[in-house]
Amino acid sequence: MSTLTQYIHRFSSVKVLVIGDIMLDRFLYGTVERISPEAPVPIFKAGTEKQMLGGAGNVVANLTDLGCQVMFIGIVGKDKDGLKISRLLSQCGAKHHLLKLNNYPTIVKTRIIAGNNHLLRADQEDILPFFENRMTQFKRILTRAVQNADIVLLSDYNKGILTPITTPVIIDICRHLNKKVIIDPKGNDYTKYTNAFLIKPNLKEFSEATGQKYNPIDPDFQQKIKAGATRLFSAYNIQNLLITLSEHGMIYVSSQNPNKLIQIPTQAKEVFDVSGAGDTSLATLGASIGAKANIHEAMTLANLASGIVVGKLGTATVSASELANVVSNIPVLVNKSAKNQTDHFSFPKQHPKIITLSQAKQIVESAKQQGLKIGFTNGCFDCCHLGHLNSFTETKKQCDILIVAMNADASVKRYKGPLRPLQDEKTRSTLLASLECIDYVIVFEDDSPIKIVETLKPDIIAKEGYPLDKWPEAQLVLNYGGQALTLKRIEGYATSNIIQKIKGEINANLSEQSI
Protein backbone atom coordinates (compact mmCIF):
# COMPACT_ATOMS: atom_id res chain seq x y z
CA MET A 1 0.00 0.00 0.00
CA SER A 2 1.40 3.40 -0.98
CA THR A 3 1.93 6.17 1.56
CA LEU A 4 -0.77 8.30 -0.10
CA THR A 5 -3.25 5.43 0.15
CA GLN A 6 -2.45 5.07 3.84
CA TYR A 7 -3.37 8.72 4.41
CA ILE A 8 -6.68 8.19 2.58
CA HIS A 9 -7.42 5.25 4.89
CA ARG A 10 -6.76 7.52 7.87
CA PHE A 11 -9.38 10.05 6.74
CA SER A 12 -12.06 8.18 8.69
CA SER A 13 -10.32 9.07 11.96
CA VAL A 14 -9.71 12.75 11.09
CA LYS A 15 -11.98 15.26 12.86
CA VAL A 16 -12.46 18.43 10.82
CA LEU A 17 -14.19 21.62 11.93
CA VAL A 18 -15.53 23.76 9.06
CA ILE A 19 -16.65 27.36 9.63
CA GLY A 20 -17.96 29.50 6.81
CA ASP A 21 -20.70 30.87 4.62
CA ILE A 22 -23.20 28.15 3.82
CA MET A 23 -25.87 28.39 1.14
CA LEU A 24 -28.43 26.29 -0.67
CA ASP A 25 -27.70 25.52 -4.32
CA ARG A 26 -30.84 24.92 -6.40
CA PHE A 27 -30.68 23.61 -9.96
CA LEU A 28 -33.73 23.85 -12.22
CA TYR A 29 -33.38 21.66 -15.31
CA GLY A 30 -35.68 21.98 -18.28
CA THR A 31 -35.97 22.89 -21.94
CA VAL A 32 -36.35 25.94 -24.15
CA GLU A 33 -38.37 25.42 -27.31
CA ARG A 34 -39.55 28.92 -28.22
CA ILE A 35 -39.16 32.64 -27.61
CA SER A 36 -41.72 34.59 -25.60
CA PRO A 37 -44.15 36.74 -27.66
CA GLU A 38 -44.09 39.27 -24.80
CA ALA A 39 -40.36 40.01 -24.99
CA PRO A 40 -37.29 38.59 -26.82
CA VAL A 41 -36.54 36.10 -24.06
CA PRO A 42 -36.60 32.29 -24.03
CA ILE A 43 -39.53 30.47 -22.45
CA PHE A 44 -38.11 27.97 -19.96
CA LYS A 45 -40.18 24.84 -19.43
CA ALA A 46 -39.20 23.56 -16.00
CA GLY A 47 -38.50 19.87 -15.53
CA THR A 48 -36.56 18.50 -12.58
CA GLU A 49 -35.15 20.31 -9.57
CA LYS A 50 -32.13 19.42 -7.46
CA GLN A 51 -31.00 20.97 -4.18
CA MET A 52 -27.61 20.56 -2.54
CA LEU A 53 -25.26 22.20 -0.07
CA GLY A 54 -23.40 25.17 -1.50
CA GLY A 55 -20.57 27.45 -0.42
CA ALA A 56 -18.95 26.14 2.75
CA GLY A 57 -21.55 23.37 2.66
CA ASN A 58 -19.81 21.92 -0.38
CA VAL A 59 -16.58 21.71 1.64
CA VAL A 60 -18.54 19.74 4.25
CA ALA A 61 -20.03 17.44 1.60
CA ASN A 62 -16.56 16.73 0.19
CA LEU A 63 -15.16 15.97 3.65
CA THR A 64 -17.95 13.56 4.55
CA ASP A 65 -17.56 11.79 1.19
CA LEU A 66 -13.86 11.44 1.94
CA GLY A 67 -14.89 9.72 5.17
CA CYS A 68 -13.89 12.42 7.67
CA GLN A 69 -15.75 13.20 10.90
CA VAL A 70 -17.11 16.69 10.28
CA MET A 71 -18.48 19.46 12.48
CA PHE A 72 -19.86 22.61 10.85
CA ILE A 73 -20.58 26.05 12.32
CA GLY A 74 -22.48 28.58 10.23
CA ILE A 75 -25.46 30.91 9.94
CA VAL A 76 -28.84 30.52 8.24
CA GLY A 77 -32.15 32.29 8.43
CA LYS A 78 -35.16 31.07 10.37
CA ASP A 79 -36.90 29.87 7.21
CA LYS A 80 -37.63 26.73 5.20
CA ASP A 81 -34.37 27.04 3.26
CA GLY A 82 -32.39 27.13 6.50
CA LEU A 83 -34.27 24.02 7.62
CA LYS A 84 -33.41 22.35 4.30
CA ILE A 85 -29.71 23.09 4.85
CA SER A 86 -29.91 21.57 8.33
CA ARG A 87 -31.48 18.42 6.88
CA LEU A 88 -28.88 18.16 4.11
CA LEU A 89 -26.06 18.48 6.65
CA SER A 90 -27.58 15.68 8.71
CA GLN A 91 -28.10 13.52 5.61
CA CYS A 92 -24.45 13.73 4.64
CA GLY A 93 -23.41 12.80 8.18
CA ALA A 94 -22.07 16.13 9.44
CA LYS A 95 -22.68 17.35 12.96
CA HIS A 96 -23.57 21.03 12.89
CA HIS A 97 -24.45 24.08 14.89
CA LEU A 98 -26.38 26.64 12.86
CA LEU A 99 -27.02 30.10 14.26
CA LYS A 100 -30.54 30.90 13.04
CA LEU A 101 -31.20 34.61 12.63
CA ASN A 102 -34.55 36.36 12.45
CA ASN A 103 -35.22 38.71 9.53
CA TYR A 104 -32.32 37.24 7.58
CA PRO A 105 -32.95 35.03 4.53
CA THR A 106 -30.91 31.88 4.06
CA ILE A 107 -28.63 32.35 1.04
CA VAL A 108 -30.03 30.50 -1.99
CA LYS A 109 -28.50 30.41 -5.46
CA THR A 110 -30.84 29.14 -8.16
CA ARG A 111 -29.41 28.08 -11.51
CA ILE A 112 -31.71 27.63 -14.50
CA ILE A 113 -30.31 25.17 -17.03
CA ALA A 114 -31.78 24.19 -20.40
CA GLY A 115 -30.01 21.22 -21.97
CA ASN A 116 -26.32 22.07 -21.81
CA ASN A 117 -26.93 25.80 -21.50
CA HIS A 118 -26.82 27.70 -18.22
CA LEU A 119 -29.47 30.38 -18.84
CA LEU A 120 -29.61 32.31 -15.59
CA ARG A 121 -28.60 32.40 -11.94
CA ALA A 122 -30.91 34.03 -9.41
CA ASP A 123 -29.47 34.81 -5.96
CA GLN A 124 -31.43 35.28 -2.73
CA GLU A 125 -29.16 36.92 -0.18
CA ASP A 126 -28.83 39.92 2.12
CA ILE A 127 -25.78 41.27 3.89
CA LEU A 128 -25.49 39.37 7.14
CA PRO A 129 -25.99 41.67 10.13
CA PHE A 130 -23.23 41.47 12.74
CA PHE A 131 -24.44 39.19 15.51
CA GLU A 132 -22.80 41.03 18.45
CA ASN A 133 -25.44 39.82 20.86
CA ARG A 134 -24.53 36.21 19.99
CA MET A 135 -20.72 36.55 20.28
CA THR A 136 -20.50 35.04 23.78
CA GLN A 137 -22.52 32.04 22.63
CA PHE A 138 -20.46 31.87 19.41
CA LYS A 139 -17.14 31.78 21.35
CA ARG A 140 -18.41 29.07 23.68
CA ILE A 141 -19.58 26.87 20.81
CA LEU A 142 -16.42 27.59 18.86
CA THR A 143 -14.03 26.73 21.71
CA ARG A 144 -15.73 23.41 22.37
CA ALA A 145 -15.70 22.53 18.65
CA VAL A 146 -12.03 23.46 18.18
CA GLN A 147 -11.04 21.36 21.21
CA ASN A 148 -12.58 18.30 19.53
CA ALA A 149 -11.08 18.95 16.07
CA ASP A 150 -7.81 17.84 14.50
CA ILE A 151 -7.85 20.69 12.00
CA VAL A 152 -10.00 23.76 11.27
CA LEU A 153 -11.05 24.97 7.80
CA LEU A 154 -12.47 28.45 7.11
CA SER A 155 -14.46 28.76 3.90
CA ASP A 156 -14.92 32.48 3.30
CA TYR A 157 -17.43 33.57 0.64
CA ASN A 158 -17.64 37.09 2.10
CA LYS A 159 -21.27 36.65 3.13
CA GLY A 160 -20.86 37.76 6.73
CA ILE A 161 -19.83 35.04 9.18
CA LEU A 162 -16.05 35.50 8.76
CA THR A 163 -15.80 39.19 9.59
CA PRO A 164 -12.82 41.28 10.77
CA ILE A 165 -14.18 40.65 14.28
CA THR A 166 -15.07 36.94 14.20
CA THR A 167 -12.15 35.66 12.09
CA PRO A 168 -9.36 36.82 14.46
CA VAL A 169 -11.32 35.31 17.36
CA ILE A 170 -11.41 31.94 15.56
CA ILE A 171 -7.70 32.08 14.71
CA ASP A 172 -6.74 33.08 18.28
CA ILE A 173 -8.73 30.20 19.79
CA CYS A 174 -7.12 27.77 17.36
CA ARG A 175 -3.63 29.08 18.14
CA HIS A 176 -4.31 28.84 21.87
CA LEU A 177 -5.45 25.21 21.46
CA ASN A 178 -2.60 24.43 19.03
CA LYS A 179 -4.89 23.61 16.09
CA LYS A 180 -3.95 24.45 12.51
CA VAL A 181 -6.23 26.79 10.54
CA ILE A 182 -6.48 26.57 6.74
CA ILE A 183 -8.37 29.40 5.03
CA ASP A 184 -9.95 29.70 1.61
CA PRO A 185 -9.94 33.53 1.48
CA LYS A 186 -12.05 36.22 -0.12
CA GLY A 187 -11.16 39.86 -0.77
CA ASN A 188 -7.84 41.65 -1.11
CA ASP A 189 -7.34 42.61 2.56
CA TYR A 190 -5.85 39.75 4.57
CA THR A 191 -5.78 41.66 7.87
CA LYS A 192 -8.47 39.47 9.37
CA TYR A 193 -6.43 36.36 8.46
CA THR A 194 -3.41 37.50 10.53
CA ASN A 195 -1.58 34.57 12.23
CA ALA A 196 -3.25 31.90 10.07
CA PHE A 197 -1.39 28.61 9.53
CA LEU A 198 -2.14 28.40 5.79
CA ILE A 199 -4.11 30.49 3.31
CA LYS A 200 -5.20 28.95 0.00
CA PRO A 201 -6.08 31.64 -2.58
CA ASN A 202 -6.40 31.02 -6.30
CA LEU A 203 -4.06 32.97 -8.56
CA LYS A 204 -6.61 35.74 -9.18
CA GLU A 205 -7.18 36.20 -5.44
CA PHE A 206 -3.43 36.15 -4.77
CA SER A 207 -2.97 38.79 -7.48
CA GLU A 208 -5.62 41.01 -5.88
CA ALA A 209 -4.09 40.60 -2.42
CA THR A 210 -0.57 41.50 -3.59
CA GLY A 211 -1.51 44.06 -6.26
CA GLN A 212 0.61 42.25 -8.87
CA LYS A 213 -0.08 40.26 -12.03
CA TYR A 214 1.25 36.73 -12.44
CA ASN A 215 1.48 34.40 -15.44
CA PRO A 216 2.43 30.76 -14.74
CA ILE A 217 4.17 30.43 -18.12
CA ASP A 218 6.54 33.36 -17.51
CA PRO A 219 10.14 32.28 -16.81
CA ASP A 220 10.26 34.43 -13.67
CA PHE A 221 6.88 33.25 -12.37
CA GLN A 222 8.23 31.54 -9.25
CA GLN A 223 10.39 34.52 -8.34
CA LYS A 224 7.38 36.84 -8.60
CA ILE A 225 5.28 34.45 -6.49
CA LYS A 226 8.00 34.36 -3.84
CA ALA A 227 8.17 38.15 -3.75
CA GLY A 228 4.40 38.51 -3.41
CA ALA A 229 4.20 35.79 -0.76
CA THR A 230 7.01 37.41 1.24
CA ARG A 231 5.04 40.68 1.38
CA LEU A 232 1.97 38.87 2.71
CA PHE A 233 4.06 36.94 5.26
CA SER A 234 5.55 40.18 6.53
CA ALA A 235 2.27 42.09 6.63
CA TYR A 236 0.02 39.45 8.22
CA ASN A 237 2.29 36.89 9.90
CA ILE A 238 0.85 34.12 7.74
CA GLN A 239 2.87 30.90 8.04
CA ASN A 240 2.15 29.30 4.65
CA LEU A 241 0.56 30.08 1.29
CA LEU A 242 -0.80 27.56 -1.20
CA ILE A 243 -1.85 29.16 -4.48
CA THR A 244 -4.01 27.16 -6.88
CA LEU A 245 -3.18 27.81 -10.54
CA SER A 246 -6.16 26.25 -12.37
CA GLU A 247 -4.81 24.23 -15.32
CA HIS A 248 -1.23 24.90 -14.13
CA GLY A 249 -1.60 23.02 -10.83
CA MET A 250 -0.63 24.65 -7.54
CA ILE A 251 2.38 26.24 -5.84
CA TYR A 252 3.35 26.34 -2.16
CA VAL A 253 5.48 28.89 -0.29
CA SER A 254 6.46 28.75 3.39
CA SER A 255 7.41 31.76 5.49
CA GLN A 256 10.08 29.57 7.12
CA ASN A 257 11.84 28.92 3.81
CA PRO A 258 10.43 31.15 1.04
CA ASN A 259 13.28 30.22 -1.31
CA LYS A 260 12.09 26.60 -1.47
CA LEU A 261 8.89 26.66 -3.50
CA ILE A 262 6.93 23.50 -4.31
CA GLN A 263 4.99 23.52 -7.58
CA ILE A 264 3.06 20.54 -8.94
CA PRO A 265 1.15 20.26 -12.24
CA THR A 266 -2.57 19.68 -12.60
CA GLN A 267 -3.91 16.12 -12.78
CA ALA A 268 -7.13 16.89 -14.69
CA LYS A 269 -7.29 15.24 -18.13
CA GLU A 270 -10.84 16.20 -19.15
CA VAL A 271 -12.70 19.18 -17.73
CA PHE A 272 -16.50 19.09 -17.74
CA ASP A 273 -17.20 21.59 -14.97
CA VAL A 274 -14.97 23.53 -12.56
CA SER A 275 -17.86 24.18 -10.10
CA GLY A 276 -16.70 23.48 -6.56
CA ALA A 277 -13.15 22.43 -7.48
CA GLY A 278 -11.75 24.89 -4.92
CA ASP A 279 -13.98 23.39 -2.22
CA THR A 280 -12.78 19.89 -3.09
CA SER A 281 -9.18 21.08 -2.98
CA LEU A 282 -9.66 22.72 0.44
CA ALA A 283 -11.42 19.66 1.87
CA THR A 284 -8.80 17.19 0.65
CA LEU A 285 -5.92 19.39 1.73
CA GLY A 286 -7.39 19.72 5.22
CA ALA A 287 -8.15 16.00 5.50
CA SER A 288 -4.63 15.11 4.36
CA ILE A 289 -2.88 17.48 6.79
CA GLY A 290 -5.21 16.23 9.51
CA ALA A 291 -4.04 12.70 8.63
CA LYS A 292 -0.42 13.87 9.22
CA ALA A 293 0.61 14.08 5.55
CA ASN A 294 3.42 16.49 4.77
CA ILE A 295 2.62 19.48 2.57
CA HIS A 296 3.82 17.89 -0.68
CA GLU A 297 1.75 14.75 -0.03
CA ALA A 298 -1.29 16.85 0.93
CA MET A 299 -0.89 18.96 -2.22
CA THR A 300 -0.69 15.83 -4.36
CA LEU A 301 -3.90 14.40 -2.89
CA ALA A 302 -5.72 17.75 -3.16
CA ASN A 303 -4.57 18.09 -6.76
CA LEU A 304 -5.72 14.58 -7.64
CA ALA A 305 -9.11 15.17 -5.99
CA SER A 306 -9.60 18.41 -7.93
CA GLY A 307 -8.71 16.57 -11.12
CA ILE A 308 -11.47 14.06 -10.42
CA VAL A 309 -14.16 16.60 -9.59
CA VAL A 310 -13.65 18.81 -12.67
CA GLY A 311 -14.21 15.68 -14.74
CA LYS A 312 -17.72 15.42 -13.31
CA LEU A 313 -20.86 17.29 -14.22
CA GLY A 314 -22.17 20.07 -11.99
CA THR A 315 -21.25 20.67 -8.36
CA ALA A 316 -19.76 17.36 -7.28
CA THR A 317 -17.71 15.68 -4.57
CA VAL A 318 -14.97 13.05 -4.47
CA SER A 319 -15.16 9.89 -2.39
CA ALA A 320 -12.25 8.24 -0.59
CA SER A 321 -12.55 5.18 -2.86
CA GLU A 322 -12.39 7.34 -6.00
CA LEU A 323 -9.31 9.13 -4.71
CA ALA A 324 -7.66 5.85 -3.67
CA ASN A 325 -8.39 4.42 -7.12
CA VAL A 326 -6.67 7.34 -8.83
CA VAL A 327 -3.73 7.14 -6.41
CA SER A 328 -3.32 3.45 -7.27
CA ASN A 329 -3.00 4.40 -10.94
CA ILE A 330 -0.09 6.80 -10.47
CA PRO A 331 2.78 5.10 -12.37
CA VAL A 332 5.53 4.00 -10.02
CA LEU A 333 9.12 3.55 -11.15
CA VAL A 334 10.42 0.08 -10.26
CA ASN A 335 13.67 -1.74 -10.93
CA LYS A 336 13.59 -4.99 -12.88
CA SER A 337 16.57 -6.50 -11.07
CA ALA A 338 19.84 -5.67 -9.43
CA LYS A 339 21.65 -6.41 -12.70
CA ASN A 340 19.21 -4.59 -14.93
CA GLN A 341 18.60 -1.10 -13.61
CA THR A 342 16.30 -0.03 -16.48
CA ASP A 343 13.33 1.85 -14.99
CA HIS A 344 9.85 1.10 -16.27
CA PHE A 345 6.32 2.00 -15.31
CA SER A 346 4.24 -0.51 -13.40
CA PHE A 347 0.93 -1.46 -15.00
CA PRO A 348 -1.93 0.70 -13.62
CA LYS A 349 -4.27 -1.20 -11.30
CA GLN A 350 -7.37 0.28 -12.87
CA HIS A 351 -8.07 3.26 -15.08
CA PRO A 352 -10.34 5.82 -13.35
CA LYS A 353 -12.77 5.73 -16.30
CA ILE A 354 -13.45 2.03 -15.65
CA ILE A 355 -16.47 2.04 -13.36
CA THR A 356 -19.09 -0.26 -11.87
CA LEU A 357 -22.72 -0.36 -12.94
CA SER A 358 -23.82 1.35 -9.71
CA GLN A 359 -21.32 4.18 -10.31
CA ALA A 360 -22.53 4.48 -13.90
CA LYS A 361 -26.13 4.72 -12.70
CA GLN A 362 -25.29 7.72 -10.48
CA ILE A 363 -23.41 9.43 -13.31
CA VAL A 364 -26.23 8.86 -15.79
CA GLU A 365 -28.92 10.10 -13.38
CA SER A 366 -26.96 13.31 -12.75
CA ALA A 367 -26.29 13.82 -16.47
CA LYS A 368 -29.92 13.29 -17.46
CA GLN A 369 -31.07 15.83 -14.88
CA GLN A 370 -28.92 18.31 -16.75
CA GLY A 371 -30.38 17.39 -20.14
CA LEU A 372 -27.30 15.53 -21.39
CA LYS A 373 -27.60 12.62 -23.84
CA ILE A 374 -26.19 9.23 -22.90
CA GLY A 375 -24.78 6.99 -25.65
CA PHE A 376 -24.08 3.28 -25.29
CA THR A 377 -22.37 0.49 -27.19
CA ASN A 378 -20.87 -2.85 -26.23
CA GLY A 379 -18.63 -5.66 -27.41
CA CYS A 380 -15.62 -7.85 -26.67
CA PHE A 381 -13.05 -5.51 -28.26
CA ASP A 382 -10.39 -8.23 -28.22
CA CYS A 383 -8.25 -6.48 -30.82
CA CYS A 384 -9.26 -2.83 -30.91
CA HIS A 385 -9.26 -1.93 -34.60
CA LEU A 386 -10.44 0.73 -37.04
CA GLY A 387 -13.98 -0.61 -37.09
CA HIS A 388 -14.24 -0.24 -33.33
CA LEU A 389 -12.77 3.27 -33.42
CA ASN A 390 -15.27 4.24 -36.10
CA SER A 391 -18.14 2.95 -33.93
CA PHE A 392 -16.94 4.89 -30.91
CA THR A 393 -16.41 8.17 -32.75
CA GLU A 394 -19.67 7.97 -34.70
CA THR A 395 -21.67 7.22 -31.54
CA LYS A 396 -19.91 9.97 -29.61
CA LYS A 397 -21.02 12.47 -32.26
CA GLN A 398 -24.63 11.73 -31.29
CA CYS A 399 -24.30 12.01 -27.50
CA ASP A 400 -22.68 13.94 -24.68
CA ILE A 401 -21.46 10.95 -22.66
CA LEU A 402 -20.43 7.64 -24.24
CA ILE A 403 -20.49 4.52 -22.06
CA VAL A 404 -18.94 1.34 -23.47
CA ALA A 405 -19.75 -2.05 -21.94
CA MET A 406 -17.09 -4.72 -22.48
CA ASN A 407 -17.43 -8.50 -22.02
CA ALA A 408 -15.29 -9.95 -19.23
CA ASP A 409 -12.88 -12.79 -20.05
CA ALA A 410 -15.28 -15.59 -19.00
CA SER A 411 -18.06 -14.06 -21.08
CA VAL A 412 -15.79 -13.84 -24.15
CA LYS A 413 -14.80 -17.51 -23.80
CA ARG A 414 -18.44 -18.58 -23.74
CA TYR A 415 -19.16 -16.40 -26.78
CA LYS A 416 -16.00 -16.79 -28.87
CA GLY A 417 -14.51 -20.09 -27.71
CA PRO A 418 -11.76 -21.31 -25.34
CA LEU A 419 -8.92 -19.64 -27.28
CA ARG A 420 -10.35 -16.17 -26.79
CA PRO A 421 -9.85 -13.49 -25.67
CA LEU A 422 -6.35 -12.84 -26.96
CA GLN A 423 -5.99 -10.00 -24.44
CA ASP A 424 -7.28 -10.17 -20.87
CA GLU A 425 -10.07 -7.91 -19.61
CA LYS A 426 -7.70 -5.61 -17.73
CA THR A 427 -5.71 -4.88 -20.89
CA ARG A 428 -8.80 -4.49 -23.08
CA SER A 429 -10.66 -2.22 -20.64
CA THR A 430 -7.59 -0.05 -20.03
CA LEU A 431 -7.09 0.43 -23.78
CA LEU A 432 -10.74 1.44 -24.21
CA ALA A 433 -10.63 3.83 -21.23
CA SER A 434 -7.54 5.48 -22.72
CA LEU A 435 -9.51 6.61 -25.78
CA GLU A 436 -10.63 10.24 -25.63
CA CYS A 437 -13.99 9.55 -27.31
CA ILE A 438 -15.01 7.07 -24.56
CA ASP A 439 -16.14 8.58 -21.27
CA TYR A 440 -16.69 5.43 -19.17
CA VAL A 441 -16.12 1.67 -19.46
CA ILE A 442 -18.10 -1.06 -17.70
CA VAL A 443 -16.80 -4.66 -17.64
CA PHE A 444 -19.69 -7.15 -17.44
CA GLU A 445 -19.78 -10.90 -16.74
CA ASP A 446 -23.14 -11.74 -18.36
CA ASP A 447 -23.49 -12.98 -21.91
CA SER A 448 -25.67 -9.98 -22.76
CA PRO A 449 -25.53 -6.31 -21.71
CA ILE A 450 -29.32 -6.20 -21.35
CA LYS A 451 -29.10 -5.67 -17.56
CA ILE A 452 -26.86 -2.63 -18.09
CA VAL A 453 -29.26 -1.15 -20.65
CA GLU A 454 -32.24 -1.75 -18.33
CA THR A 455 -30.41 0.00 -15.48
CA LEU A 456 -28.95 2.98 -17.35
CA LYS A 457 -31.64 3.50 -20.01
CA PRO A 458 -29.27 5.26 -22.46
CA ASP A 459 -30.78 7.73 -24.91
CA ILE A 460 -28.86 6.20 -27.82
CA ILE A 461 -27.59 2.67 -28.44
CA ALA A 462 -25.33 1.91 -31.39
CA LYS A 463 -23.68 -1.13 -33.00
CA GLU A 464 -22.02 -1.98 -36.30
CA GLY A 465 -24.30 -3.82 -38.74
CA TYR A 466 -26.82 -5.26 -36.25
CA PRO A 467 -30.39 -5.70 -37.58
CA LEU A 468 -33.07 -4.76 -35.06
CA ASP A 469 -34.71 -8.21 -35.02
CA LYS A 470 -31.45 -9.71 -33.73
CA TRP A 471 -30.66 -6.89 -31.34
CA PRO A 472 -32.78 -7.13 -28.14
CA GLU A 473 -30.97 -4.28 -26.36
CA ALA A 474 -31.93 -1.92 -29.20
CA GLN A 475 -35.54 -3.06 -29.02
CA LEU A 476 -35.57 -2.25 -25.32
CA VAL A 477 -34.18 1.25 -25.95
CA LEU A 478 -36.76 1.89 -28.68
CA ASN A 479 -39.57 0.72 -26.38
CA TYR A 480 -38.86 3.46 -23.82
CA GLY A 481 -38.43 6.14 -26.48
CA GLY A 482 -34.68 6.02 -27.11
CA GLN A 483 -32.81 5.83 -30.39
CA ALA A 484 -31.04 2.82 -31.97
CA LEU A 485 -28.27 3.44 -34.50
CA THR A 486 -27.10 0.72 -36.87
CA LEU A 487 -23.65 1.89 -37.87
CA LYS A 488 -22.08 1.08 -41.21
CA ARG A 489 -19.53 -1.68 -40.88
CA ILE A 490 -16.02 -1.02 -42.16
CA GLU A 491 -15.20 -4.24 -43.97
CA GLY A 492 -12.00 -6.20 -43.45
CA TYR A 493 -11.35 -5.18 -39.85
CA ALA A 494 -13.10 -7.91 -37.87
CA THR A 495 -10.98 -9.41 -35.10
CA SER A 496 -11.35 -12.88 -36.65
CA ASN A 497 -9.96 -11.53 -39.94
CA ILE A 498 -6.99 -10.01 -38.13
CA ILE A 499 -6.32 -13.32 -36.35
CA GLN A 500 -6.51 -15.26 -39.65
CA LYS A 501 -4.12 -12.80 -41.28
CA ILE A 502 -1.64 -13.19 -38.43
CA LYS A 503 -1.91 -16.99 -38.64
CA GLY A 504 -1.33 -16.81 -42.38
CA GLU A 505 1.79 -14.71 -41.91
CA ILE A 506 3.12 -17.11 -39.25
CA ASN A 507 2.45 -20.19 -41.43
CA ALA A 508 4.11 -18.54 -44.41
CA ASN A 509 7.20 -17.73 -42.35
CA LEU A 510 7.37 -21.28 -41.02
CA SER A 511 7.11 -22.68 -44.56
CA GLU A 512 9.94 -20.45 -45.74
CA GLN A 513 12.12 -21.55 -42.83
CA SER A 514 11.50 -25.26 -43.58
CA ILE A 515 12.58 -24.96 -47.24
Side-chain angles (χ1 to χ4, degrees), residues 31 37 45 71 75 104 109 155 197 255 313 388 414-415:
T31 58
K45 185 178 180 181
M71 173 68 184
I75 297 175
Y104 170 76
K109 296 184 181 295
S155 179
F197 168 73
S255 62
L313 298 159
H388 295 145
R414 291 193 298 269
Y415 183 44

Side-chain angles (χ1 to χ4, degrees), residues 31-32 42 44 112-114 117-121:
T31 58
V32 171
F44 177 76
I112 298 175
I113 300 169
N117 299 310
H118 188 155
L119 299 183
L120 181 70
R121 193 181 92 179

Side-chain angles (χ1 to χ4, degrees), residues 183-219:
I183 302 173
D184 198 342
K186 186 69 71 173
N188 57 12
D189 184 0
Y190 283 11
T191 302
K192 66 180 180 180
Y193 305 133
T194 297
N195 298 323
F197 168 73
L198 187 148
I199 297 184
K200 190 190 76 66
N202 60 35
L203 189 58
K204 180 177 180 293
E205 291 165 340
F206 182 73
S207 178
E208 291 171 349
T210 60
Q212 299 293 321
K213 296 291 184 182
Y214 305 92
N215 189 337
I217 65 173
D218 287 346

Side-chain angles (χ1 to χ4, degrees), residues 10-189:
R10 291 180 198 168
F11 285 172
S12 59
S13 62
V14 177
K15 299 175 182 177
V16 187
L17 171 62
V18 181
I19 308 168
D21 301 295
I22 196 165
M23 54 199 74
L24 185 65
D25 279 350
R26 296 176 67 231
F27 294 84
L28 296 180
Y29 300 104
T31 58
V32 171
E33 298 175 351
R34 60 195 181 98
I35 301 298
S36 171
E38 302 167 358
V41 294
I43 297 176
F44 177 76
K45 185 178 180 181
T48 59
E49 177 180 333
K50 188 174 183 179
Q51 296 183 340
M52 62 183 66
L53 295 170
N58 192 39
V59 179
V60 172
N62 272 275
L63 285 164
T64 55
D65 270 11
L66 288 171
C68 298
Q69 302 173 47
V70 187
M71 173 68 184
F72 175 76
I73 297 176
I75 297 175
V76 295
K78 279 189 175 180
D79 51 29
K80 60 182 178 61
D81 294 319
L83 183 60
K84 178 66 177 179
I85 284 178
S86 179
R87 288 172 178 167
L88 288 173
L89 286 168
S90 296
Q91 287 171 14
C92 74
K95 296 179 180 178
H96 54 278
H97 192 102
L98 297 174
L99 299 177
K100 301 178 179 67
L101 300 185
N102 290 314
N103 304 315
Y104 170 76
T106 299
I107 299 173
V108 181
K109 296 184 181 295
T110 303
R111 297 164 177 87
I112 298 175
I113 300 169
N116 296 330
N117 299 310
H118 188 155
L119 299 183
L120 181 70
R121 193 181 92 179
D123 290 358
Q124 170 189 293
E125 64 177 60
D126 285 345
I127 297 175
L128 178 66
F130 177 60
F131 50 100
E132 185 175 6
N133 60 329
R134 307 285 287 272
M135 276 299 291
T136 301
Q137 177 193 12
F138 179 72
K139 288 179 182 179
R140 185 174 63 253
I141 294 167
L142 179 63
T143 302
R144 188 165 58 247
V146 173
Q147 285 173 334
N148 294 324
D150 296 312
I151 195 160
V152 179
L153 307 183
L154 305 189
S155 179
D156 193 352
Y157 279 80
N158 201 29
K159 302 302 180 186
I161 187 170
L162 297 173
T163 69
I165 296 175
T166 59
T167 310
V169 168
I170 296 168
I171 294 173
D172 285 346
I173 290 174
C174 290
R175 280 166 59 88
H176 177 71
L177 295 172
N178 198 28
K179 301 297 172 71
K180 293 175 179 176
V181 183
I182 299 177
I183 302 173
D184 198 342
K186 186 69 71 173
N188 57 12
D189 184 0

